[in-house]
Amino acid sequence: MITALALLFVGGSYAMWSETLRINVTVNTGEVDVKWSGWSVSESDHGKPWVANTSVTVEANDSEGDAIKLAIVMNNTYPCYWANVSLVVDNIGSIPVKLYSSNITGVNKSALYVNLVKPGDTQIDPGENATYILQIHVLQNATENTTYKFNVTLIFAQWNEVQEAPR
């Protein structure tokens, strides 16, 4: 009798009606993509005849032909000469980016003063741009007939991964 009742309940569960629902999911990711799009130089020699000059050229492009590395060359400089290089960064990707980190390395600090001026908000929305200013000043301890080199690196990341600095 117990076996018959057990079979009756099992048989009833097999006779139950059912329906299946399915979902097809497609996830398309965005792209973080920035480039140098423009630059200009303002320089001063305190009213003296121009003997020094600063130039900016593209040193490297990515696989899409976008400028990703610039070369700034200052020729015939001397103590008290300075140049401000305005550098425009375009967000050519599909999601907002923020400056994740910046680094200036290899500066001979006894010969050069170098400072990167960042915009107040480093977020750049798609299709927008931001300007950074690289300030370079030749100091009194600079040596004649010497070449000074240094590197500036800006790393951008998706906007939601960059921690805000405490205020």
Side-chain angles (χ1 to χ4, degrees), residues 29-52:
T29 60
E31 179 183 25
V32 170
D33 197 3
V34 293
K35 72 172 185 174
W36 297 113
S37 65
W39 45 86
S40 62
V41 177
S42 65
E43 51 196 335
S44 173
D45 63 357
H46 303 286
K48 310 270 189 295
W50 289 108
V51 294

PDB file of all heavy atoms in Angstrom, residues 29-52:
ATOM      1  N   THR A  29      31.044  46.126 -25.030  1.00  0.00           N
ATOM      2  CA  THR A  29      31.830  46.987 -24.166  1.00  0.00           C
ATOM      3  C   THR A  29      32.219  48.269 -24.895  1.00  0.00           C
ATOM      4  O   THR A  29      32.231  48.317 -26.124  1.00  0.00           O
ATOM      5  CB  THR A  29      33.108  46.265 -23.689  1.00  0.00           C
ATOM      6  OG1 THR A  29      33.892  45.919 -24.822  1.00  0.00           O
ATOM      7  CG2 THR A  29      32.757  45.021 -22.891  1.00  0.00           C
ATOM      8  N   GLY A  30      32.534  49.286 -24.116  1.00  0.00           N
ATOM      9  CA  GLY A  30      32.980  50.560 -24.667  1.00  0.00           C
ATOM     10  C   GLY A  30      34.489  50.552 -24.874  1.00  0.00           C
ATOM     11  O   GLY A  30      35.159  49.529 -24.695  1.00  0.00           O
ATOM     12  N   GLU A  31      35.027  51.705 -25.233  1.00  0.00           N
ATOM     13  CA  GLU A  31      36.459  51.806 -25.500  1.00  0.00           C
ATOM     14  C   GLU A  31      37.038  53.038 -24.819  1.00  0.00           C
ATOM     15  O   GLU A  31      36.478  54.122 -24.890  1.00  0.00           O
ATOM     16  CB  GLU A  31      36.694  51.913 -27.010  1.00  0.00           C
ATOM     17  CG  GLU A  31      38.149  52.046 -27.384  1.00  0.00           C
ATOM     18  CD  GLU A  31      38.369  52.234 -28.872  1.00  0.00           C
ATOM     19  OE1 GLU A  31      37.453  52.733 -29.571  1.00  0.00           O
ATOM     20  OE2 GLU A  31      39.462  51.894 -29.337  1.00  0.00           O
ATOM     21  N   VAL A  32      38.170  52.855 -24.132  1.00  0.00           N
ATOM     22  CA  VAL A  32      38.961  53.969 -23.605  1.00  0.00           C
ATOM     23  C   VAL A  32      39.999  54.287 -24.668  1.00  0.00           C
ATOM     24  O   VAL A  32      40.823  53.445 -25.020  1.00  0.00           O
ATOM     25  CB  VAL A  32      39.639  53.599 -22.273  1.00  0.00           C
ATOM     26  CG1 VAL A  32      40.646  54.669 -21.873  1.00  0.00           C
ATOM     27  CG2 VAL A  32      38.599  53.409 -21.185  1.00  0.00           C
ATOM     28  N   ASP A  33      39.933  55.504 -25.215  1.00  0.00           N
ATOM     29  CA  ASP A  33      40.856  55.884 -26.291  1.00  0.00           C
ATOM     30  C   ASP A  33      41.056  57.396 -26.239  1.00  0.00           C
ATOM     31  O   ASP A  33      40.103  58.156 -26.356  1.00  0.00           O
ATOM     32  CB  ASP A  33      40.282  55.462 -27.646  1.00  0.00           C
ATOM     33  CG  ASP A  33      41.315  55.449 -28.753  1.00  0.00           C
ATOM     34  OD1 ASP A  33      42.508  55.703 -28.482  1.00  0.00           O
ATOM     35  OD2 ASP A  33      40.920  55.187 -29.910  1.00  0.00           O
ATOM     36  N   VAL A  34      42.296  57.809 -26.021  1.00  0.00           N
ATOM     37  CA  VAL A  34      42.646  59.231 -25.998  1.00  0.00           C
ATOM     38  C   VAL A  34      43.802  59.482 -26.952  1.00  0.00           C
ATOM     39  O   VAL A  34      44.515  58.557 -27.339  1.00  0.00           O
ATOM     40  CB  VAL A  34      43.019  59.711 -24.575  1.00  0.00           C
ATOM     41  CG1 VAL A  34      41.833  59.686 -23.646  1.00  0.00           C
ATOM     42  CG2 VAL A  34      44.162  58.891 -24.006  1.00  0.00           C
ATOM     43  N   LYS A  35      43.957  60.735 -27.330  1.00  0.00           N
ATOM     44  CA  LYS A  35      45.073  61.110 -28.207  1.00  0.00           C
ATOM     45  C   LYS A  35      45.435  62.564 -27.956  1.00  0.00           C
ATOM     46  O   LYS A  35      44.644  63.337 -27.414  1.00  0.00           O
ATOM     47  CB  LYS A  35      44.708  60.914 -29.673  1.00  0.00           C
ATOM     48  CG  LYS A  35      43.705  61.939 -30.200  1.00  0.00           C
ATOM     49  CD  LYS A  35      43.514  61.824 -31.693  1.00  0.00           C
ATOM     50  CE  LYS A  35      42.608  62.931 -32.216  1.00  0.00           C
ATOM     51  NZ  LYS A  35      42.518  62.936 -33.668  1.00  0.00           N
ATOM     52  N   TRP A  36      46.653  62.919 -28.353  1.00  0.00           N
ATOM     53  CA  TRP A  36      47.056  64.317 -28.398  1.00  0.00           C
ATOM     54  C   TRP A  36      46.467  64.897 -29.666  1.00  0.00           C
ATOM     55  O   TRP A  36      46.669  64.359 -30.745  1.00  0.00           O
ATOM     56  CB  TRP A  36      48.578  64.451 -28.445  1.00  0.00           C
ATOM     57  CG  TRP A  36      49.300  63.921 -27.238  1.00  0.00           C
ATOM     58  CD1 TRP A  36      50.135  62.845 -27.196  1.00  0.00           C
ATOM     59  CD2 TRP A  36      49.267  64.445 -25.913  1.00  0.00           C
ATOM     60  NE1 TRP A  36      50.612  62.672 -25.930  1.00  0.00           N
ATOM     61  CE2 TRP A  36      50.090  63.643 -25.115  1.00  0.00           C
ATOM     62  CE3 TRP A  36      48.602  65.521 -25.327  1.00  0.00           C
ATOM     63  CZ2 TRP A  36      50.284  63.880 -23.767  1.00  0.00           C
ATOM     64  CZ3 TRP A  36      48.788  65.749 -23.977  1.00  0.00           C
ATOM     65  CH2 TRP A  36      49.628  64.943 -23.208  1.00  0.00           C
ATOM     66  N   SER A  37      45.734  65.987 -29.549  1.00  0.00           N
ATOM     67  CA  SER A  37      45.107  66.556 -30.740  1.00  0.00           C
ATOM     68  C   SER A  37      45.642  67.940 -31.091  1.00  0.00           C
ATOM     69  O   SER A  37      45.417  68.421 -32.196  1.00  0.00           O
ATOM     70  CB  SER A  37      43.598  66.639 -30.567  1.00  0.00           C
ATOM     71  OG  SER A  37      43.275  67.551 -29.534  1.00  0.00           O
ATOM     72  N   GLY A  38      46.316  68.578 -30.156  1.00  0.00           N
ATOM     73  CA  GLY A  38      46.827  69.904 -30.442  1.00  0.00           C
ATOM     74  C   GLY A  38      47.804  70.350 -29.379  1.00  0.00           C
ATOM     75  O   GLY A  38      47.826  69.804 -28.276  1.00  0.00           O
ATOM     76  N   TRP A  39      48.611  71.331 -29.730  1.00  0.00           N
ATOM     77  CA  TRP A  39      49.582  71.872 -28.803  1.00  0.00           C
ATOM     78  C   TRP A  39      50.005  73.249 -29.289  1.00  0.00           C
ATOM     79  O   TRP A  39      49.900  73.573 -30.461  1.00  0.00           O
ATOM     80  CB  TRP A  39      50.804  70.964 -28.672  1.00  0.00           C
ATOM     81  CG  TRP A  39      51.298  70.467 -29.990  1.00  0.00           C
ATOM     82  CD1 TRP A  39      52.177  71.081 -30.846  1.00  0.00           C
ATOM     83  CD2 TRP A  39      50.907  69.256 -30.633  1.00  0.00           C
ATOM     84  NE1 TRP A  39      52.357  70.328 -31.969  1.00  0.00           N
ATOM     85  CE2 TRP A  39      51.582  69.175 -31.868  1.00  0.00           C
ATOM     86  CE3 TRP A  39      50.059  68.209 -30.297  1.00  0.00           C
ATOM     87  CZ2 TRP A  39      51.448  68.130 -32.758  1.00  0.00           C
ATOM     88  CZ3 TRP A  39      49.920  67.155 -31.179  1.00  0.00           C
ATOM     89  CH2 TRP A  39      50.616  67.115 -32.385  1.00  0.00           C
ATOM     90  N   SER A  40      50.440  74.037 -28.341  1.00  0.00           N
ATOM     91  CA  SER A  40      50.977  75.358 -28.672  1.00  0.00           C
ATOM     92  C   SER A  40      52.025  75.701 -27.628  1.00  0.00           C
ATOM     93  O   SER A  40      52.039  75.144 -26.529  1.00  0.00           O
ATOM     94  CB  SER A  40      49.869  76.409 -28.712  1.00  0.00           C
ATOM     95  OG  SER A  40      49.268  76.530 -27.435  1.00  0.00           O
ATOM     96  N   VAL A  41      52.896  76.620 -27.991  1.00  0.00           N
ATOM     97  CA  VAL A  41      54.005  77.000 -27.114  1.00  0.00           C
ATOM     98  C   VAL A  41      53.955  78.503 -26.886  1.00  0.00           C
ATOM     99  O   VAL A  41      53.818  79.282 -27.822  1.00  0.00           O
ATOM    100  CB  VAL A  41      55.363  76.619 -27.745  1.00  0.00           C
ATOM    101  CG1 VAL A  41      56.520  77.083 -26.864  1.00  0.00           C
ATOM    102  CG2 VAL A  41      55.436  75.123 -28.003  1.00  0.00           C
ATOM    103  N   SER A  42      54.059  78.916 -25.621  1.00  0.00           N
ATOM    104  CA  SER A  42      54.305  80.320 -25.306  1.00  0.00           C
ATOM    105  C   SER A  42      55.637  80.345 -24.567  1.00  0.00           C
ATOM    106  O   SER A  42      55.906  79.493 -23.724  1.00  0.00           O
ATOM    107  CB  SER A  42      53.180  80.921 -24.475  1.00  0.00           C
ATOM    108  OG  SER A  42      53.097  80.313 -23.216  1.00  0.00           O
ATOM    109  N   GLU A  43      56.483  81.283 -24.939  1.00  0.00           N
ATOM    110  CA  GLU A  43      57.820  81.318 -24.355  1.00  0.00           C
ATOM    111  C   GLU A  43      58.229  82.747 -24.078  1.00  0.00           C
ATOM    112  O   GLU A  43      57.659  83.681 -24.634  1.00  0.00           O
ATOM    113  CB  GLU A  43      58.825  80.628 -25.277  1.00  0.00           C
ATOM    114  CG  GLU A  43      58.789  81.119 -26.703  1.00  0.00           C
ATOM    115  CD  GLU A  43      59.502  80.186 -27.673  1.00  0.00           C
ATOM    116  OE1 GLU A  43      60.395  79.444 -27.270  1.00  0.00           O
ATOM    117  OE2 GLU A  43      59.162  80.237 -28.855  1.00  0.00           O
ATOM    118  N   SER A  44      59.235  82.907 -23.214  1.00  0.00           N
ATOM    119  CA  SER A  44      59.673  84.251 -22.860  1.00  0.00           C
ATOM    120  C   SER A  44      61.175  84.277 -22.641  1.00  0.00           C
ATOM    121  O   SER A  44      61.760  83.355 -22.092  1.00  0.00           O
ATOM    122  CB  SER A  44      58.983  84.724 -21.588  1.00  0.00           C
ATOM    123  OG  SER A  44      59.518  85.950 -21.173  1.00  0.00           O
ATOM    124  N   ASP A  45      61.764  85.337 -23.071  1.00  0.00           N
ATOM    125  CA  ASP A  45      63.165  85.594 -22.744  1.00  0.00           C
ATOM    126  C   ASP A  45      63.296  86.996 -22.153  1.00  0.00           C
ATOM    127  O   ASP A  45      64.319  87.645 -22.280  1.00  0.00           O
ATOM    128  CB  ASP A  45      64.061  85.403 -23.963  1.00  0.00           C
ATOM    129  CG  ASP A  45      63.743  86.388 -25.061  1.00  0.00           C
ATOM    130  OD1 ASP A  45      62.799  87.186 -24.895  1.00  0.00           O
ATOM    131  OD2 ASP A  45      64.434  86.364 -26.082  1.00  0.00           O
ATOM    132  N   HIS A  46      62.236  87.472 -21.531  1.00  0.00           N
ATOM    133  CA  HIS A  46      62.210  88.746 -20.809  1.00  0.00           C
ATOM    134  C   HIS A  46      62.570  89.944 -21.695  1.00  0.00           C
ATOM    135  O   HIS A  46      63.370  90.802 -21.318  1.00  0.00           O
ATOM    136  CB  HIS A  46      63.121  88.677 -19.581  1.00  0.00           C
ATOM    137  CG  HIS A  46      62.745  87.573 -18.655  1.00  0.00           C
ATOM    138  ND1 HIS A  46      61.640  87.629 -17.853  1.00  0.00           N
ATOM    139  CD2 HIS A  46      63.311  86.359 -18.432  1.00  0.00           C
ATOM    140  CE1 HIS A  46      61.538  86.509 -17.150  1.00  0.00           C
ATOM    141  NE2 HIS A  46      62.540  85.726 -17.494  1.00  0.00           N
ATOM    142  N   GLY A  47      61.992  89.987 -22.892  1.00  0.00           N
ATOM    143  CA  GLY A  47      62.153  91.134 -23.762  1.00  0.00           C
ATOM    144  C   GLY A  47      63.439  91.172 -24.572  1.00  0.00           C
ATOM    145  O   GLY A  47      63.676  92.104 -25.316  1.00  0.00           O
ATOM    146  N   LYS A  48      64.258  90.173 -24.453  1.00  0.00           N
ATOM    147  CA  LYS A  48      65.510  90.123 -25.212  1.00  0.00           C
ATOM    148  C   LYS A  48      65.228  89.561 -26.615  1.00  0.00           C
ATOM    149  O   LYS A  48      64.175  88.985 -26.860  1.00  0.00           O
ATOM    150  CB  LYS A  48      66.514  89.208 -24.501  1.00  0.00           C
ATOM    151  CG  LYS A  48      66.700  89.496 -23.027  1.00  0.00           C
ATOM    152  CD  LYS A  48      67.800  90.504 -22.804  1.00  0.00           C
ATOM    153  CE  LYS A  48      68.176  90.683 -21.370  1.00  0.00           C
ATOM    154  NZ  LYS A  48      67.260  91.224 -20.469  1.00  0.00           N
ATOM    155  N   PRO A  49      66.173  89.709 -27.542  1.00  0.00           N
ATOM    156  CA  PRO A  49      65.975  89.115 -28.875  1.00  0.00           C
ATOM    157  C   PRO A  49      65.817  87.590 -28.757  1.00  0.00           C
ATOM    158  O   PRO A  49      66.452  86.959 -27.918  1.00  0.00           O
ATOM    159  CB  PRO A  49      67.264  89.462 -29.617  1.00  0.00           C
ATOM    160  CG  PRO A  49      67.853  90.598 -28.864  1.00  0.00           C
ATOM    161  CD  PRO A  49      67.406  90.458 -27.444  1.00  0.00           C
ATOM    162  N   TRP A  50      64.946  87.037 -29.598  1.00  0.00           N
ATOM    163  CA  TRP A  50      64.702  85.599 -29.550  1.00  0.00           C
ATOM    164  C   TRP A  50      65.931  84.836 -30.017  1.00  0.00           C
ATOM    165  O   TRP A  50      66.369  84.966 -31.144  1.00  0.00           O
ATOM    166  CB  TRP A  50      63.511  85.218 -30.437  1.00  0.00           C
ATOM    167  CG  TRP A  50      62.213  85.682 -29.883  1.00  0.00           C
ATOM    168  CD1 TRP A  50      61.451  86.696 -30.367  1.00  0.00           C
ATOM    169  CD2 TRP A  50      61.535  85.179 -28.754  1.00  0.00           C
ATOM    170  NE1 TRP A  50      60.334  86.864 -29.609  1.00  0.00           N
ATOM    171  CE2 TRP A  50      60.367  85.932 -28.592  1.00  0.00           C
ATOM    172  CE3 TRP A  50      61.783  84.173 -27.838  1.00  0.00           C
ATOM    173  CZ2 TRP A  50      59.453  85.712 -27.574  1.00  0.00           C
ATOM    174  CZ3 TRP A  50      60.884  83.951 -26.823  1.00  0.00           C
ATOM    175  CH2 TRP A  50      59.733  84.721 -26.708  1.00  0.00           C
ATOM    176  N   VAL A  51      66.500  84.040 -29.161  1.00  0.00           N
ATOM    177  CA  VAL A  51      67.611  83.174 -29.537  1.00  0.00           C
ATOM    178  C   VAL A  51      67.298  81.716 -29.230  1.00  0.00           C
ATOM    179  O   VAL A  51      67.915  80.824 -29.773  1.00  0.00           O
ATOM    180  CB  VAL A  51      68.940  83.585 -28.841  1.00  0.00           C
ATOM    181  CG1 VAL A  51      69.380  84.948 -29.330  1.00  0.00           C
ATOM    182  CG2 VAL A  51      68.813  83.546 -27.337  1.00  0.00           C
ATOM    183  N   ALA A  52      66.336  81.475 -28.355  1.00  0.00           N
ATOM    184  CA  ALA A  52      65.929  80.109 -28.006  1.00  0.00           C
ATOM    185  C   ALA A  52      64.591  79.814 -28.663  1.00  0.00           C
ATOM    186  O   ALA A  52      63.862  80.726 -29.060  1.00  0.00           O
ATOM    187  CB  ALA A  52      65.810  79.965 -26.493  1.00  0.00           C
TER     188      ALA A  52
END
